[in-house]
């Protein structure tokens, strides 16, 4: 009787606790349910077989990249071997050629990526100092490759035709070379004015055809540089924005994945293993830092929010006061530099370099002040970096804008500057040379002595106050943006400025590498570079637009009759008119329509349609991603529910065994 009662009680518990389990699992094991499922699965299998067949015969997608399990990949491989006998020779040859081209593309891409310089150095810097410092050096390498590409364009379209078909006047063998002085290298005067460095060297020469002459080649070369810059910078910015959107605020990092799946088991070198350890540790520090900040934000009360907003308003007002004072100081420094100097050449050189010295000093001090101010505003580390970058880029680009505005509006005496294009090019040349000198002195006369002092006298109060410096990513990136903007502004007046900038960036890499590895310590707080890298390229895009506006305004200011390829009655705007008149009438009509307002309106309308389609596609993809995220959440909930039900059944079975034993 006791056994019957216990059995009845157990059955009642089973019916009450596991009813849902029987409805979901036991009902699915019934023969009728199996048959219904089999009929439904046949239709689905036919569709999946067609899909797998299409996937298996898609040579553009290798099997290892397909989002299927290993067993499905093996089945696809077997189907490929079986179906090869059922296709004709043409399809077989076409598919094999597509597969060959895909593999060739992969090998070429791997070879090109292997040719990129400093791969091992960047990997070492990433392991020791985090991804943010590495992003700076990757950005520097990108600008170096960009300037080398400019050098190829200018050498092919501007320099080579002038050297081959140019006259012998105004060359390096001019009498000015005998009077060469050390000062000429720093200010671009003397023999450098008549060298290929500056605008006046590129005269018309013997290449004097209607559609093939030095002015047209010069114009096409400069236009190619600017168009290529816009395409590459915009493409880099858009790609970075898409990546940051996918892995930014909408992406929640999985700590368990980084802990248990983040190790690379192909590593055999102890040094590489140490770098990988540092990289994983930095990733975890960034994740924990973000989670801690989010928890602190959620605990803020209304009183804390009011106090924080009031403090941020005061700090932003302080930032505006500092910016205004810096702009006034730069303006007066430019005015003082225009005073005619009759002292020793070193004093005159310092006076000519007074504006760059003032701008560099301000741009060195204020970003550090902005960084300290952002810490009191209580933002996340990534927002602090971005806010410091925005304030610093406004400071640097505005300082450069004041510098350019002064020289554009300055009316120099005709006897002092016979070639206004050369005079403007020399200012950009001086900024580039001074930037290289500033980096050299900062590395070996500021950072390195500071490190030596801290290492030899660690117990002194001054050494404890100074300490080893941390690599300021924001200010260093802004220096790159500022110098590249100077290159874009001055390339029209100093065609060899990209070559000078490439050499400067090459030296700059090793200067900064020495500063980071020898003189800096890893940052105590890490940050993500997903959004910061986008901001780097967006600032570069702002610098490019500023350079284009400056070029248009400055070119329009120069009147005909100057020097260089546009001497006489030729200007940048009418240099192609003679060539267009010699073309056939249909070509002239086409060019006239392309340059008309009707074509501009049609082009603008097409851009609006294309952008609308991309926006619509982006919204659809965003909705699809949200649905997939919901499906993943539901799958996790189902798994937890099934585990709970399984534990319940196991517990009931264990209870049943105990009753049988009794």
């Amino acid at each position: 009787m006791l056994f019957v009662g216990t059995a009845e009680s157990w059955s009642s518990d089973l019916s009450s606790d596991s009813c849902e389990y029987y409805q979901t699992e036991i009902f699915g094991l019934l023969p009728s349910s199996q048959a219904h499922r089999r009929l439904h699965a046949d239709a689905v299998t036919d569709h999946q077989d067609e899909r797998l067949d299409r996937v298996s015969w898609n040579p553009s997608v290798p099997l290892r990249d397909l989002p299927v399990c290993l067993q499905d990949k093996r089945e696809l491989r077997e189907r490929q071997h079986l179906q090869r006998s059922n296709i004709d020779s043409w399809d077989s040859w076409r598919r094999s050629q597509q597969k060959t081209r895909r593999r060739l593309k992969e090998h070429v891409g791997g070879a090109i990526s292997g040719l990129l310089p400093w791969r091992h150095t960047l990997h070492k810097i990433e392991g020791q100092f985090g991804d943010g410092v590495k992003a700076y050096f990757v950005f520097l390498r990108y600008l170096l490759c960009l300037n080398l590409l400019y050098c190829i364009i200018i050498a092919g379209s501007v320099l080579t035709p002038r050297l081959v078909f140019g006259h012998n006047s105004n060359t390096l063998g001019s009498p000015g070379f005998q009077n060469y002085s050390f000062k000429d290298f720093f200010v671009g005067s003397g023999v450098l004015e008549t060298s290929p460095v500056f605008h006046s060297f590129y005269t018309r020469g013997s290449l004097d055809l209607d559609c093939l002459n030095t002015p047209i080649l010069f114009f096409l070369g400069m236009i190619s540089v600017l168009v290529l810059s816009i395409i590459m910078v915009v493409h880099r910015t858009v790609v970075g924005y898409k990546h940051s959107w996918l892995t930014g605020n909408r992406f929640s990092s999985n700590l368990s994945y980084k802990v248990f799946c983040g190790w690379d088991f192909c590593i055999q070198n102890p040094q590489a293993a140490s770098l990988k350890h540092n990289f994983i540790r930095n990733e975890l520090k960034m994740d924990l830092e973000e989670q801690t900040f989010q928890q602190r934000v959620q605990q803020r009360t209304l009183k804390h929010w009011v106090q924080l907003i009031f403090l941020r308003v005061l700090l932003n007002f302080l930032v505006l006061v500092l910016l205004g004072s810096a702009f006034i100081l730069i303006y007066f420094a430019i005015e003082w530099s225009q005073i005619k100097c009759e002292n020793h050449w070193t004093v005159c050189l310092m006076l000519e370099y007074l504006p760059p010295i003032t701008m560099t000093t301000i741009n060195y001090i204020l970003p550090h002040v902005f960084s300290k101010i952002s810490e009191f505003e209580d933002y996340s580390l990534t927002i602090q970096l971005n806010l410091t970058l925005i304030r610093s880029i406004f400071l640097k680009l505005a300082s450069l804008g004041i510098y350019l505005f002064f020289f554009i509006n300055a009316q120099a005496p005709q006897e002092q500057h016979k070639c206004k294009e050369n005079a403007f090019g020399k200012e950009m040349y001086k900024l580039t040379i001074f930037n290289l000198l500033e980096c050299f002195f900062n590395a070996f006369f500021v950072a390195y002595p500071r490190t030596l002092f801290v290492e030899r006298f660690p117990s002194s109060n001054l050494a404890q106050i100074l300490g080893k410096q941390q690599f300021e990513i924001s200010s260093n990136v802004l220096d790159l943006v500022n110098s590249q903007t100077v290159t874009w502004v001055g390339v029209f007046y100093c065609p060899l400025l990209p070559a000078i900038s490439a050499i400067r960036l090459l030296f700059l890499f090793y200067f900064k590498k020495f500063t980071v590895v020898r003189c800096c310590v890893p940052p105590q707080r890490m940050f993500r570079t997903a959004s910061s890298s986008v901001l780097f390229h967006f600032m570069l895009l702002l610098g490019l637009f500023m350079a284009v506006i400056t070029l248009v305004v400055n070119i329009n200011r120069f009147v005909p009759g100057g020097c260089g390829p546009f001497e006489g009655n030729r200007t940048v705007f009418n240099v192609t008119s003679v060539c267009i008149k010699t073309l056939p009438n249909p070509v002239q009509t086409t060019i006239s329509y392309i340059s008309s307002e009707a074509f501009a309106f049609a082009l603008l309308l097409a851009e609006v349609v294309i952008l609308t389609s991309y926006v619509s596609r982006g919204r659809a993809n965003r909705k699809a991603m949200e649905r997939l995220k919901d499906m993943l959440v539901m799958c996790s909930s189902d798994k937890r529910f099934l585990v709970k039900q399984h534990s319940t059944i196991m517990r009931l079975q264990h209870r049943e065994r105990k009753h049988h034993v009794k």
Side-chain angles (χ1 to χ4, degrees):
M1 190 69 179
L2 179 62
F3 176 78
V4 174
T6 56
E8 290 178 354
S9 64
W10 175 80
S11 62
S12 63
D13 292 337
L14 180 62
S15 61
S16 61
D17 295 339
S18 305
C19 181
E20 295 180 0
Y21 176 82
Y22 278 97
Q23 290 178 357
T24 55
E25 293 292 328
I26 303 302
F27 180 79
L29 297 176
L30 294 175
S32 59
S33 299
Q34 293 282 344
H36 182 269
R37 184 179 301 175
R38 191 179 302 110
L39 291 174
H40 177 70
D42 290 336
V44 176
T45 303
D46 295 336
H47 176 71
Q48 289 179 350
D49 291 341
E50 295 178 359
R51 180 183 63 83
L52 290 176
D53 291 340
R54 289 195 300 268
V55 173
S56 63
W57 288 112
N58 187 7
S60 61
V61 181
L63 288 179
R64 64 175 179 271
D65 294 340
L66 293 178
V68 294
C69 62
L70 185 60
Q71 182 64 30
D72 292 338
K73 292 181 180 180
R74 290 173 180 172
E75 293 179 359
L76 290 174
R77 178 67 68 184
E78 293 176 358
R79 292 183 183 183
Q80 286 183 355
H81 292 297
L82 292 175
Q83 293 179 1
R84 280 174 184 168
S85 59
N86 299 327
I87 61 175
D88 54 5
S89 59
W90 168 252
D91 290 337
S92 178
W93 179 83
R94 180 172 57 85
R95 289 165 180 171
S96 63
Q97 291 298 317
Q98 290 179 355
K99 187 178 296 185
T100 303
R101 286 195 298 268
R102 175 178 55 80
R103 291 177 179 176
L104 180 62
K105 183 179 179 181
E106 291 179 356
H107 289 305
V108 171
I112 293 176
S113 62
L115 294 176
L116 291 176
W118 310 314
R119 293 182 62 189
H120 177 70
T121 302
L122 295 181
H123 184 66
K124 180 180 178 181
I125 291 174
E126 181 184 14
Q128 293 181 353
F129 297 92
D131 194 30
V133 180
K134 177 196 171 184
Y136 165 79
F137 286 95
V138 172
F139 189 60
L140 190 152
R141 184 178 63 182
Y142 169 73
L143 293 181
L144 175 62
C145 297
L146 198 63
N147 282 278
L148 291 177
L149 190 58
Y150 297 158
C151 293
I152 295 174
I153 296 175
I154 293 175
S157 62
V158 178
L159 182 60
T160 302
R162 173 62 182 84
L163 294 177
V164 175
F165 299 99
H167 297 301
N168 293 326
S169 60
N170 293 335
T171 59
L172 291 174
S174 59
F177 185 73
Q178 300 176 358
N179 299 325
Y180 177 77
S181 64
F182 190 68
K183 176 187 174 183
D184 296 337
F185 172 77
F186 293 99
V187 298
S189 59
V191 67
L192 292 180
E193 286 190 272
T194 58
S195 68
V197 176
F198 290 107
H199 186 87
S200 60
F201 177 81
Y202 301 92
T203 55
R204 194 173 183 92
S206 60
L207 187 63
D208 198 10
L209 302 177
D210 291 333
C211 292
L212 186 61
N213 50 60
T214 303
I216 290 181
L217 291 176
F218 190 91
F219 176 74
L220 292 178
M222 298 305 160
I223 290 295
S224 301
V225 168
L226 294 178
V227 171
L228 179 66
S229 303
I230 293 174
I231 292 174
M232 295 190 68
V233 175
V234 169
H235 175 264
R236 190 98 170 185
T237 305
V238 171
V239 171
Y241 175 75
K242 181 174 66 174
H243 177 73
S244 65
W245 186 86
L246 292 175
T247 61
N249 295 328
R250 299 174 177 86
F251 176 78
S252 59
S253 59
N254 193 345
L255 294 178
S256 61
Y257 173 80
K258 293 180 180 179
V259 172
F260 296 104
C261 304
W263 183 254
D264 186 3
F265 289 93
C266 297
I267 295 177
Q268 298 180 357
N269 188 2
Q271 185 178 5
S274 177
L275 293 177
K276 188 65 176 179
H277 280 139
N278 294 332
F279 178 75
I280 296 175
R281 183 177 65 250
N282 293 336
E283 286 286 330
L284 295 177
K285 287 172 63 177
M286 287 188 285
D287 294 335
L288 296 176
E289 180 71 25
E290 291 179 358
Q291 292 180 5
T292 303
F293 177 77
Q294 294 298 330
Q295 293 177 358
R296 192 168 66 249
V297 170
Q298 294 176 358
Q299 295 175 357
R300 290 175 182 170
T301 61
L302 180 61
K303 179 180 178 181
H304 291 161
W305 277 111
V306 172
Q307 294 176 352
L308 185 60
I309 293 174
F310 181 73
L311 179 61
R312 289 175 180 176
V313 171
L314 290 179
L315 293 177
N316 280 280
F317 179 75
L318 177 61
V319 169
L320 293 177
V321 172
L322 293 175
L323 289 174
S325 303
F327 297 154
I328 294 174
L329 185 60
I330 291 172
Y331 181 80
F332 282 110
I334 296 173
E335 281 195 340
W336 293 335
S337 67
Q338 301 302 309
I339 299 175
K340 187 176 181 180
C341 179
E342 298 180 354
N343 298 321
H344 193 264
W345 70 271
T346 55
V347 179
C348 297
L349 180 63
M350 293 296 296
L351 187 62
E352 289 191 30
Y353 270 94
L354 183 60
I357 292 174
T358 305
M359 293 169 58
T360 301
T361 305
I362 292 175
N363 292 332
Y364 180 79
I365 295 176
L366 285 188
H368 293 279
V369 177
F370 294 157
S371 178
K372 294 297 181 182
I373 290 176
S374 64
E375 293 179 2
F376 292 99
E377 292 176 317
D378 199 11
Y379 289 109
S380 64
L381 187 60
T382 303
I383 296 179
Q384 289 181 23
L385 175 68
N386 295 338
L387 190 60
T388 304
L389 283 172
I390 292 173
R391 291 167 176 170
S392 302
I393 193 60
F394 180 76
L395 169 67
K396 295 203 173 187
L397 291 183
S399 302
L400 182 60
I402 294 173
Y403 188 80
L404 297 175
F405 179 79
F406 184 89
F407 286 102
I408 287 176
N409 293 332
Q411 298 294 332
Q414 187 69 22
E415 63 275 5
Q416 183 178 356
H417 296 299
K418 297 181 180 180
C419 182
K420 295 182 179 179
E421 290 85 353
N422 275 14
F424 192 84
K426 285 195 292 185
E427 298 299 329
M428 302 299 104
Y429 174 84
K430 286 192 296 185
L431 288 177
T432 305
I433 296 298
F434 183 79
N435 184 269
L436 177 62
L437 297 176
E438 182 266 332
C439 293
F440 175 79
F441 280 97
N442 184 45
F444 295 100
F445 293 93
V446 177
Y448 187 57
R450 173 182 175 179
T451 303
L452 291 179
F453 178 77
V454 172
E455 290 177 350
R456 295 187 178 182
F457 306 99
S459 59
S460 63
N461 295 330
L462 182 59
Q464 294 178 359
I465 294 175
L466 292 176
K468 283 190 176 181
Q469 64 179 357
Q470 296 183 5
F471 190 76
E472 294 290 339
I473 300 174
S474 58
S475 61
N476 285 279
V477 168
L478 291 178
D479 288 337
L480 293 179
V481 173
N482 188 54
S483 60
Q484 188 61 37
T485 304
V486 171
T487 302
W488 283 327
V489 172
V491 65
F492 186 85
Y493 312 100
C494 183
L496 294 188
L497 194 59
I500 299 173
S501 297
I503 297 174
R504 180 188 60 82
L505 290 172
L506 184 63
F507 282 102
L508 180 62
F509 179 87
Y510 292 102
F511 292 161
K512 293 299 180 181
K513 175 190 172 184
F514 173 79
T515 303
V516 169
V517 176
R518 181 64 182 87
C519 306
C520 294
V521 294
Q524 299 297 326
R525 303 174 65 189
M526 310 300 294
F527 67 96
R528 298 190 185 278
T529 57
S531 59
S532 300
S533 298
V534 178
L535 189 58
F536 294 167
H537 292 92
F538 181 73
M539 291 186 300
L540 193 64
L541 188 62
L542 289 180
L544 179 58
F545 287 156
M546 178 180 175
V548 172
I549 294 173
T550 305
L551 283 174
V552 172
V553 173
N554 208 19
I555 289 173
N556 192 31
R557 181 180 67 94
F558 292 141
V559 297
C563 58
F566 306 104
E567 58 185 355
N569 295 325
R570 292 184 297 271
T571 63
V572 177
F573 304 102
N574 63 10
V575 70
T576 58
S577 59
V578 177
C579 177
I580 293 176
K581 292 179 181 179
T582 60
L583 298 176
N585 291 328
V587 179
Q588 293 186 28
T589 305
T590 304
I591 295 176
S592 177
Y593 175 71
I594 291 175
S595 59
S596 63
E597 297 178 355
F599 180 78
F601 177 76
L603 183 63
L604 182 61
L605 185 62
E607 291 178 354
V608 170
V609 172
I610 294 173
L611 289 176
T612 304
S613 65
Y614 274 104
V615 170
S616 301
R617 185 184 303 177
R619 291 177 179 176
N621 292 334
R622 192 178 299 115
K623 292 180 180 179
M625 292 175 63
E626 295 297 332
R627 288 196 297 268
L628 291 175
K629 290 179 181 179
D630 294 337
M631 292 175 62
L632 290 175
V633 172
M634 292 301 298
C635 289
S636 300
S637 301
D638 293 340
K639 290 178 181 179
R640 288 194 296 268
F641 173 77
L642 292 175
V643 169
K644 180 179 179 181
Q645 296 300 322
H646 180 267
S647 62
T648 303
I649 295 299
M650 294 300 294
R651 187 169 58 253
L652 293 175
Q653 291 178 355
H654 182 66
R655 188 187 304 172
E656 179 185 4
R657 293 191 189 98
K658 287 184 177 180
H659 286 298
H660 282 293
V661 170
K662 292 180 180 180

